[in-house]
């Protein structure tokens, strides 16, 4: 099982965003035709719309998915860690994210400086969360995944995947 | 340079061929000499001191001092310091000469003139009345000490062991205590030493080693740390052209500005390093991911192929079975059958 976790460790996702966990649910994220694998590079333009996130898991279980950027505003100076991009709750197992309740609408990556990691974390819920609408995180910056998981009794993640994205140079300036 | 000894000292041994002039006064050091004496002692080097650069002046003083120190190991302390201290002292002494950037590019003449004009130099307060009367003391009559102190090259130092170098700054030739710890590194260089010394230790060692004598090497190492660091930094860590203390590449810019530039470069370098580390991490992480992905896919591939084979097999079998099933009855039909039994 560690095979699936090592890229997360090396990429410092485990440690900075989540704690060490054992993946138990399969999660497949794709932006259009591009499948996301750990550490792959996705252009912001390609990730502007929310991805298709298919999960396995038991049909009776509900899952929470969130997406954050721990490298905001810049990887060398992540003062705004983490920047929240998306929260979907009550996703039934075996389906995809569209079947859940959107607590925080999807916002595509817009890294101002440097190459940012964008982490998608899947938790298994103990029960249906109804106050998700009532108490969404106040703001996108300064989000903390661990705290969020603690507050909603989500425990350790069951699946994590991350990709990299960096600002696309504007058309005029042609860099070598 | 010969220093046949000052007061109360045993006559020195025969020395390497240098001018035999008595070069010491009370203070058994080069610094208590006046320029005139010093110049003549050196056998009148090609240049007149006046038009010499401060750099070169200090260098010559340094060489003179060092040969003096080597020649006169007993001369350095009036407190009968133990031999090992004597060993230290010359080294320490030498290690203390540094040159403020503002001065390095000037000639001795210019510095002298400045001193005269700005006579209110605090370090010289006691020694040199900034009055017209003083002007009459020409450069030639100023002792090297005085000159250097007034020029701001030197500062009193507080060495741990040896006798009172911490004597009052104004150099009094008469009161000059032996170990001339008079030339410690200048203030402005101090702050830069620590952060950079660690990273720059290597090049310095080299430079120091390339320096003049073994006895002198600690000094270049130390002072090079001050004077040479900027040169090193600014020239992208290439060693200064000459392994001198005063790093001929010293610019005429002000030290504070230099510091900032150096700092900025340092910070940039650190940031760059971190960024490079992150980049390597990213690459490695992606690599691992791809490898596991490949392994997974290979497995799946094999499975699928196996399945496919199985399916084909099954299909074949099914068809065969179908055929056999169908054929079965007909074949039976085709087979000869006894429809009628014969009479026998």
């Amino acid at each position: 099982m560690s095979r699936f976790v090592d890229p997360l460790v090396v990429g410092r996702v485990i440690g900075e965003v989540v704690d060490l966990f054992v993946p138990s649910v399969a999660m497949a994220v794709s932006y259009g035709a591009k499948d996301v694998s750990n550490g792959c590079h996705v252009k912001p333009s390609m990730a502007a719309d929310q991805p298709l996130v298919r999960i396995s898991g038991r049909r009776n279980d509900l899952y929470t998915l969130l997406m954050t950027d721990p490298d905001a505003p810049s990887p060398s100076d992540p003062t705004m860690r983490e920047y929240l991009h998306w929260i979907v709750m009550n996703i039934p197992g075996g389906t995809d994210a569209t079947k859940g309740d959107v607590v925080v609408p999807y916002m595509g990556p817009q890294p101002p400086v440097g190459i940012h990691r964008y982490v998608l974390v899947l938790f298994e819920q103990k029960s249906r969360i109804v106050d998700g609408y009532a108490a969404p995180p106040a703001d996108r910056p300064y989000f903390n995944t661990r705290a969020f998981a603690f507050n909603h009794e989500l425990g350790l993640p069951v699946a994590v995947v991350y990709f990299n994205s960096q600002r696309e140079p504007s058309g005029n300036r042609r860099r070598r | 340079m010969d220093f046949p000894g000052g007061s109360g000292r045993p006559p020195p041994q025969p020395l390497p061929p240098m001018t035999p002039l008595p070069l010491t006064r009370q203070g058994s050091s080069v610094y208590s000499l006046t320029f005139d004496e010093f110049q003549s002692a050196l056998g009148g080097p090609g240049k007149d001191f006046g038009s010499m650069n401060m750099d070169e002046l200090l260098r010559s003083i340094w060489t003179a001092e060092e040969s003096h120190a080597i020649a006169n190991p007993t001369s350095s302390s009036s407190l009968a310091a133990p031999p090992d201290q004597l060993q230290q002292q010359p080294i320490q002494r030498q290690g203390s000469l540094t040159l403020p950037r503002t001065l390095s590019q000037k000639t001795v003449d210019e510095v002298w003139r400045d001193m005269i004009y700005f006579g209110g130099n605090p370090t010289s307060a006691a020694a040199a009345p900034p009055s017209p009367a003083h002007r009459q003391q020409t450069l030639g009559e100023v002792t090297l000490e005085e000159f250097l102190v007034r020029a701001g090259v030197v500062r009193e130092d507080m060495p741990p062991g040896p006798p009172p170098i911490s004597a009052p700054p104004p150099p009094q030739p008469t009161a000059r205590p032996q170990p001339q710890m008079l030339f410690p590194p200048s203030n402005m260089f101090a702050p830069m030493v620590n952060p950079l010394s660690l990273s720059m230790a290597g090049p310095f060692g080299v430079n120091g080693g390339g320096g003049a004598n073994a006895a002198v090497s600690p000094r270049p190492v130390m002072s090079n740390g001050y004077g040479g660091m900027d040169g090193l930094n600014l020239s992208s860590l290439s060693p200064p052209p000459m392994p001198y203390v005063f790093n001929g590449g010293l610019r005429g810019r002000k030290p504070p500005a230099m510091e900032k530039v150096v700092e900025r470069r340092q910070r940039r370098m650190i940031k760059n390093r971190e960024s490079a580390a992150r980049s390597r991490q990213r690459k490695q992480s992606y690599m691992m991911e791809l490898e596991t992905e490949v392994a997974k896919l290979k497995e799946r591939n094999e499975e699928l192929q196996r399945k496919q084979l199985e399916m084909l097999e099954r299909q074949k079998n099914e068809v065969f079975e179908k055929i056999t099933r169908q054929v079965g009855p007909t074949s039976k039909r085709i087979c000869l059958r006894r429809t009628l039994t014969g009479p026998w």
Side-chain angles (χ1 to χ4, degrees):
Chain A
M1 259 321 186
S2 68
R3 296 191 309 158
F4 305 107
V5 159
D6 285 338
L8 297 175
V9 172
V10 173
R12 321 269 331 273
V13 171
I14 292 185
E16 290 176 11
V17 183
V18 296
D19 298 313
L20 189 61
F21 69 100
V22 176
S24 52
V25 172
M27 177 165 70
V29 181
S30 56
Y31 282 103
K34 164 118 183 176
D35 287 327
V36 170
S37 52
N38 282 323
C40 77
H41 204 98
V42 180
K43 284 194 190 170
S45 51
M46 282 180 48
D49 295 321
Q50 72 180 52
L52 179 60
V53 181
R54 283 166 302 173
I55 59 175
S56 65
R58 297 204 308 263
R59 197 62 198 228
N60 302 333
D61 287 338
L62 295 173
Y63 296 88
T64 290
L65 171 75
L66 58 82
M67 176 162 136
T68 70
D69 169 11
D71 296 327
S74 145
S76 56
D77 187 29
T79 49
M80 292 205 294
R81 171 175 292 175
E82 311 151 17
Y83 194 91
L84 179 64
H85 281 261
W86 198 23
I87 297 186
V88 185
M89 289 183 156
N90 303 323
I91 304 172
T95 63
D96 63 81
T98 56
K99 308 286 183 292
D101 305 327
V102 178
V103 174
V104 174
Y106 178 80
M107 180 180 131
Q110 276 156 23
V113 174
I115 303 184
H116 293 218
R117 296 165 291 170
Y118 291 90
V119 186
L120 287 125
V121 187
L122 188 74
F123 295 97
E124 185 176 322
Q125 295 171 204
K126 290 197 167 65
S127 57
R128 177 166 284 270
I129 296 178
V130 289
D131 65 349
Y133 284 121
D139 240 338
R140 290 190 188 258
Y142 307 110
F143 181 74
N144 188 298
T145 302
R146 287 188 180 98
F148 180 81
F150 181 76
N151 291 338
H152 295 266
E153 296 186 326
L154 295 171
L156 289 176
V158 294
V160 172
V161 86
Y162 86 99
F163 62 92
N164 294 317
S165 194
Q166 87 178 105
R167 183 152 166 233
E168 281 165 293
S170 48
N172 302 334
R173 214 167 25 115
R174 188 96 179 90
R175 300 184 73 178
R176 56 181 157 98
Chain B
M1 252 169 283
D2 267 25
F3 298 94
S7 45
R9 228 161 282 99
Q13 308 82 348
L15 295 164
M18 291 277 204
T19 60
L21 280 184
L23 282 180
T24 51
R25 284 195 193 157
Q26 264 98 339
S28 57
S29 156
V30 154
Y31 299 112
S32 21
L33 301 174
T34 63
F35 266 100
D36 278 348
E37 289 169 329
F38 186 54
Q39 181 156 9
S40 48
L42 286 186
K47 272 196 213 171
D48 180 17
F49 273 116
S51 50
M52 230 196 228
N53 244 351
M54 291 295 283
D55 263 3
E56 303 186 40
L57 170 69
L58 286 165
R59 240 181 283 141
S60 14
I61 295 177
W62 172 26
T63 355
E65 230 228 326
E66 145 217 330
S67 37
H68 172 214
I70 293 174
N72 249 350
T74 58
S75 70
S76 40
S77 120
S78 62
L79 294 189
D84 51 331
Q85 243 187 356
L86 289 177
Q87 286 306 87
Q88 293 174 11
Q89 279 160 5
I91 294 175
Q92 286 170 330
R93 202 197 307 197
Q94 290 145 7
S96 47
L97 254 184
T98 52
L99 189 62
R101 218 158 263 99
T102 47
L103 291 184
S104 66
Q105 303 298 13
K106 296 191 182 169
T107 63
V108 170
D109 264 346
E110 293 176 17
V111 176
W112 175 244
R113 250 177 277 134
D114 288 344
M115 282 195 300
I116 301 296
Y117 289 135
F118 302 124
N121 189 332
T123 56
S124 65
S131 59
H134 178 67
R135 290 202 65 183
Q136 276 137 31
Q137 182 187 23
T138 66
L139 182 55
E141 290 171 12
V142 173
T143 64
L144 296 175
E145 262 174 25
E146 274 191 48
F147 176 72
L148 289 171
V149 169
R150 267 191 262 152
V153 173
V154 304
R155 196 173 49 90
E156 282 292 350
D157 192 44
M158 319 275 282
I165 298 55
S166 39
Q172 305 271 347
T174 52
R176 179 112 305 276
Q178 273 47 322
Q180 310 293 338
M181 297 295 302
L182 185 56
F183 307 93
S186 139
N187 262 343
M188 12 198 166
F189 297 79
M192 295 199 303
V193 179
N194 292 333
L196 298 183
S197 62
L198 293 173
S199 53
M200 301 303 180
F204 285 159
V206 172
N207 290 335
N213 305 328
V216 177
S217 55
R219 164 151 73 151
V221 171
M222 216 167 80
S223 333
N224 238 351
Y226 306 111
M229 269 192 303
D230 299 319
L232 282 179
N233 271 335
L234 296 172
S235 53
S236 331
L237 301 182
S238 59
M242 291 176 290
Y244 288 106
V245 171
F246 312 113
N247 187 359
L250 277 175
R251 276 95 178 141
R253 292 185 223 140
K254 289 198 189 116
M258 204 61 118
E259 281 182 32
K260 279 189 212 140
V261 168
V262 162
E263 248 188 76
R264 230 178 290 143
R265 265 172 222 245
Q266 267 265 302
R267 258 181 274 133
R268 184 89 189 107
M269 192 172 66
I270 292 172
K271 267 185 143 189
N272 211 357
R273 240 185 249 144
E274 289 173 11
S275 171
R278 268 199 308 271
S279 174
R280 281 193 297 269
Q281 264 177 12
R282 235 181 285 133
K283 187 175 175 189
Q284 196 190 0
S285 159
Y286 191 40
M287 208 43 154
M288 290 172 82
E289 173 74 17
L290 287 182
E291 283 172 357
T292 55
E293 191 85 10
V294 163
K296 251 196 297 176
L297 290 175
K298 274 194 183 160
E299 258 190 70
R300 236 177 121 208
N301 212 2
E302 278 181 38
E303 248 193 76
L304 288 174
Q305 282 191 345
R306 257 187 294 121
K307 268 194 184 168
Q308 201 190 24
L309 278 176
E310 268 181 51
M311 296 288 286
L312 277 175
E313 285 289 323
R314 237 183 279 156
Q315 266 185 18
K316 257 197 285 175
N317 288 339
E318 275 185 27
V319 170
F320 196 60
E321 281 164 23
K322 268 194 204 159
I323 292 175
T324 45
R325 257 183 272 126
Q326 286 171 9
V327 165
T330 49
S331 57
K332 269 196 169 176
R333 257 185 269 130
I334 292 170
C335 287
L336 286 173
R337 237 184 179 185
R338 275 192 149 199
T339 49
L340 284 170
T341 47
W344 67 110

